[in-house]
Amino acid sequence: MKPKPARRIGARRWRSLRRRFNRWVTRVDLYPRLEVAIAAIVVVLGLSSYAILTGQGAPAAGFSPPMVTLLLVANLLPLMALLVLIARRIALLLTARRKGTAGAKLHVRLVALFSAVAAVPTLLVVVFASLLFQFGVQFWFSDRVKTVLGNADHVAQAYVDEKQQRILEDGIAMAADLRSYGQQFGYGSKDFVEGVQFQLPRRHLTTAAVFSPTSHGFVTYAAVKMETRPLAVRVSPQDLKLARVGVPRVLTNARDRIEAVMRIDDSASHYLYISTPADPQVLAQVARTRQALDEYQSLISRSRNMVLRFNGLLIVVSLLILSAAIWFALWLANSLVTPIARLADAAERVGAGDLDARVPTRGSPDELGTLARAFNRMTGQLKAQQTALVTANSQLDRRRQFSEAVLAGVSAGVLSIDAGGIIRLANHSAATLLQTTERALAGQPLAEAVPQLAALLDEAAARGDASGVVEIVRGPDTQTLAVQIAAERSGARTYVLTFDDITAQLADQRQAAWADVARRIAHEIKNPLTPIQLSAERLQRKYARQIVDDPATFANLTGTIVRQVGDLRRMVDEFSSFARMPKPVFKPEPVVDIAREAVFMQEVANPAIAFEIEVPDAVPLLVCDRRQIAQALTNLLKNATEAVAARTDRDGTNDGRIILAIEVDATKLLLRVTDNGIGLPIEQRDRLTEPYVTTRARGTGLGLAIVKKIVEEHEGVLDLGDAAGGGTVARLCFNRTALADYIDINTGSDDAIPARRQLG
């Protein structure tokens, strides 16, 4: 194979890295964080540069030009970057205001391109201009000029210092002599004045005065050549203050001479003033030299500020140039993006389904205009094709709606299954019968959703169709389904599975069959029972006294006949009651009284069992047949006593308890019978209310069947369950709202209604 060029491989790697970078930027939301970071960098660099350039650690001559230029570039680069990011955000806002982001990338790219084109040369010019200006300033304010001015100032100052030092030395020696004159001759004496005059020429001094300061001025003891200026003008209070502590003081307010004042003795306040002439031109030259040096220092300080201002002006001009470039980039992007944005907006409308979208083509003779015209032709063709497709889809949709309406209206469950056994479609009835949802069934394998139907599906795959009856066990209940599977041969093989719940139908059939059997048994057995019972009773009365040989056996035999006939009569009565249950006669009845009577009868018959009744404060009247409700409660309480007795015999305990509770809400009335007996059987719980299904040896299996029939006639529901802690709980829940329809509320009539009124 021919190896790929290295340039192509590098280009691919570059594109891959760029895509990864774009994904990372999009994921972490880089640009807002970058804006905040660069803004913080701008603030930190600005404050740091200001502190460096104006701080105490700055050299007197200022920083070197490369150092200042480096600080300038360090501040300018983040400012430019921040300006570019702000321009990027402005470009995004401009595109967002046009209600579309089709040109956002082009705006951003043009801003970045023009920013780079403007920033690089601007940065180079800034560096060159900054260095050129600083080196020029450094040339004009060089160290040689500073050295000349400094040396001249030092020479002039040395002359003044030498004069001042000499007068101080002469003054100190003269003060010592005058102190001895004062102690010897007295201050102000003639000899003391002559001593002062004697000291002047020998000390090379021209003027002298000895005085003492008072609150009213000076007291002069001797004054030599003090004609021109008074002593109070020559000596200031500040000079006296310094001389008082023993520090000889050179006065500074003289123009053409050098003056000094000092203290003569420590015990008295006697001071000596002396002066000597100085060359006025030399003193003036010293002043001018000092002034020139001060002005030069001031110029140096201002040159640093001028450099800083010039660099700041460079930053402002650079940012203005970059801003102009960015503005031009935005303008150019707008001129390019406008037709593209119109095309993108029209494409968005087409994508949303609006095939009437068109792009204006006037004033666009270039390639963008050609693209817009091609787009308009494309949308016109799509519009024509859409019209044809909509017509075809509308027909299919009407057919689909018809099929869905048929499937939703049927009570049977319908499943559509593909060749792999996956459920594609299920109607609402199917989800209801299987106790799940349509969404849960769709997409599930039939073997996992309803494994009981998988065998019939295999049979249908082999023969083309199948049918049968399937039982689904859900805890204590068993659901019976009649299933039919047919293959559909349209393309790939699919199957249509229909099923219906026949559990109630089978129970009704069994109940009807047992009712017919009960009528026949009751008819065949009832006729001979009375003669048999009467004959046995007559034998007891007539022949009991005549039997001499084993009379007890005779009594037991005849008694057995009477008891068995009674049992048969009871069974026949139950058969008759179940087979021909009379229609209830509805009247408002006090259900609390009915419950108390039923509990009282069972309490009398079973004194070993503790009976309780729980009744709320206010129980409304219940529209019912009093006799049938009493019969239902009696059957339930009788079953409860038998369950308690069975547990007592099994465990040998004597803690039987039966609770009859009444609960009432706005629409319901609940009768609950709870016992702590032996409990419900585990098997065939769902068939306990069917006729002739019983768990007791002597039971007929009709008690709960009769109770269920009575409750259903009273618009109620019978529910059997396990009680907490063991035992059974039976609940009779009646719909008070539905039972109220059996009484004419408008007239307030309480007349019995033997059958439910047809409403409508």
Side-chain angles (χ1 to χ4, degrees), residues 321-335:
I321 294 174
L322 184 59
S323 300
I326 291 174
W327 178 85
F328 182 74
L330 291 175
W331 174 82
L332 182 60
N334 287 334
S335 62

Side-chain angles (χ1 to χ4, degrees), residues 548-740:
V548 180
D549 186 13
D550 197 3
T553 301
F554 177 78
N556 288 336
L557 293 176
T558 55
T560 299
I561 294 173
V562 173
R563 286 194 302 275
Q564 294 299 324
V565 168
D567 290 341
L568 288 174
R569 185 181 299 279
R570 181 176 56 80
M571 292 176 61
V572 170
D573 290 340
E574 289 184 358
F575 287 158
S576 299
S577 299
F578 176 71
R580 295 180 180 178
M581 181 71 68
K583 291 292 181 181
V585 178
F586 292 96
K587 294 175 61 179
E589 299 288 352
V591 68
V592 177
D593 295 344
I594 299 174
R596 293 186 187 278
E597 291 174 1
V599 170
F600 176 75
M601 288 189 297
Q602 296 299 323
E603 196 173 22
V604 171
N606 302 277
I609 301 176
F611 288 86
E612 298 179 13
I613 183 167
E614 298 178 357
V615 181
D617 295 336
V619 179
L621 298 178
L622 178 66
V623 177
C624 63
D625 187 311
R626 184 184 184 111
R627 183 186 63 79
Q628 290 190 5
I629 296 299
Q631 181 182 359
L633 289 177
T634 300
N635 286 347
L636 292 178
L637 292 171
K638 183 174 178 296
N639 289 345
T641 57
E642 292 176 354
V644 170
R647 188 187 66 83
T648 302
D649 295 341
R650 184 190 66 185
D651 300 340
T653 59
N654 191 20
D655 58 347
R657 185 179 72 257
I658 298 175
I659 301 174
L660 174 59
I662 301 177
E663 298 179 5
V664 181
D665 61 12
T667 59
K668 306 290 184 183
L669 187 142
L670 177 67
L671 297 173
R672 187 177 65 249
V673 178
T674 308
D675 64 72
N676 61 346
I678 198 170
L680 296 174
I682 299 177
E683 296 83 6
Q684 295 185 344
R685 284 195 175 191
D686 57 328
R687 299 190 60 190
L688 290 177
T689 57
E690 294 185 6
Y692 308 105
V693 176
T694 182
T695 58
R696 298 192 299 274
R698 299 182 60 187
T700 62
L702 293 175
L704 289 178
I706 293 173
V707 173
K708 181 180 179 182
K709 192 170 184 180
I710 292 174
V711 173
E712 290 177 348
E713 288 288 340
H714 284 74
E715 301 291 340
V717 178
L718 171 64
D719 177 59
L720 302 176
D722 296 324
T728 305
V729 55
R731 301 178 183 86
L732 306 180
C733 184
F734 298 100
N735 190 338
R736 295 172 51 212
T737 304
L739 290 174

Side-chain angles (χ1 to χ4, degrees), residues 355-409:
L355 295 180
D356 294 326
R358 297 293 183 271
V359 179
T361 58
R362 290 188 303 174
S364 300
D366 53 2
E367 288 78 3
L368 291 176
T370 303
L371 180 61
R373 286 187 288 271
F375 178 83
N376 292 338
R377 287 195 301 271
M378 179 193 69
T379 53
Q381 294 173 1
L382 289 176
K383 179 65 175 179
Q385 295 175 2
Q386 184 195 41
T387 303
L389 288 175
V390 168
T391 303
N393 287 335
S394 62
Q395 296 178 357
L396 293 176
D397 189 61
R398 286 194 295 269
R399 294 178 182 177
R400 180 185 58 80
Q401 291 177 358
F402 176 75
S403 300
E404 290 180 354
V406 171
L407 291 177

Side-chain angles (χ1 to χ4, degrees), residues 174-486:
M174 183 177 177
D177 293 341
L178 293 179
R179 182 166 53 250
S180 62
Y181 293 164
Q183 294 175 357
Q184 183 178 1
F185 303 113
Y187 290 96
S189 62
K190 181 179 180 181
D191 294 333
F192 181 81
V193 174
E194 292 177 352
V196 173
Q197 294 175 351
F198 174 78
Q199 290 284 333
L200 285 180
R202 287 161 178 75
R203 304 295 181 187
H204 304 287
L205 300 174
T206 59
T207 304
V210 177
F211 63 93
S212 295
T214 63
S215 59
H216 301 288
F218 295 144
V219 177
T220 304
Y221 300 102
V224 180
K225 298 182 180 180
M226 297 290 294
E227 300 86 4
T228 57
R229 294 166 58 206
L231 186 62
V233 177
R234 298 170 183 261
V235 181
S236 66
Q238 183 66 23
D239 296 330
L240 284 177
K241 183 177 180 182
L242 293 175
R244 187 178 295 117
V245 297
V247 179
R249 176 68 173 169
V250 176
L251 305 181
T252 59
N253 56 355
R255 297 180 180 178
D256 55 353
R257 61 182 56 247
I258 298 175
E259 301 171 323
V261 64
M262 59 200 68
R263 191 169 182 176
I264 296 177
D265 54 4
D266 297 333
S267 59
S269 299
H270 296 125
Y271 294 89
L272 171 63
Y273 165 81
I274 57 177
S275 69
T276 184
D279 190 354
Q281 295 182 355
V282 174
L283 295 179
Q285 187 64 32
V286 170
R288 287 195 297 270
T289 304
R290 171 58 58 184
Q291 183 179 2
L293 184 61
D294 293 339
E295 290 178 356
Y296 180 77
Q297 294 291 343
S298 176
L299 286 176
I300 291 177
S301 300
R302 284 184 293 178
S303 68
R304 292 178 58 188
N305 294 331
M306 186 166 52
V307 169
L308 294 179
R309 292 176 183 177
F310 180 78
N311 289 329
L313 183 61
L314 286 179
I315 292 177
V316 173
V317 172
S318 301
L319 295 179
L320 289 176
I321 294 174
L322 184 59
S323 300
I326 291 174
W327 178 85
F328 182 74
L330 291 175
W331 174 82
L332 182 60
N334 287 334
S335 62
L336 293 177
V337 163
T338 300
I340 297 176
R342 292 174 182 172
L343 186 61
D345 181 64
E348 289 287 342
R349 291 171 57 190
V350 171
D354 184 11
L355 295 180
D356 294 326
R358 297 293 183 271
V359 179
T361 58
R362 290 188 303 174
S364 300
D366 53 2
E367 288 78 3
L368 291 176
T370 303
L371 180 61
R373 286 187 288 271
F375 178 83
N376 292 338
R377 287 195 301 271
M378 179 193 69
T379 53
Q381 294 173 1
L382 289 176
K383 179 65 175 179
Q385 295 175 2
Q386 184 195 41
T387 303
L389 288 175
V390 168
T391 303
N393 287 335
S394 62
Q395 296 178 357
L396 293 176
D397 189 61
R398 286 194 295 269
R399 294 178 182 177
R400 180 185 58 80
Q401 291 177 358
F402 176 75
S403 300
E404 290 180 354
V406 171
L407 291 177
V410 298
S411 60
V414 180
L415 299 177
S416 177
I417 306 171
D418 61 12
I422 305 298
I423 300 174
R424 298 190 308 175
L425 181 65
N427 68 341
H428 180 71
S429 298
T432 303
L433 292 176
L434 296 178
Q435 299 182 7
T436 182
T437 61
E438 302 174 41
R439 181 176 299 178
L441 287 174
Q444 292 291 325
L446 182 64
E448 295 180 4
V450 193
Q452 294 83 355
L453 303 179
L456 287 177
L457 182 62
D458 296 338
E459 182 180 350
R463 298 192 316 172
D465 57 359
S467 61
V469 177
V470 176
E471 291 186 350
I472 301 176
V473 179
R474 293 188 177 89
D477 300 330
T478 301
Q479 185 181 28
T480 304
L481 302 177
V483 185
Q484 181 74 32
I485 302 179

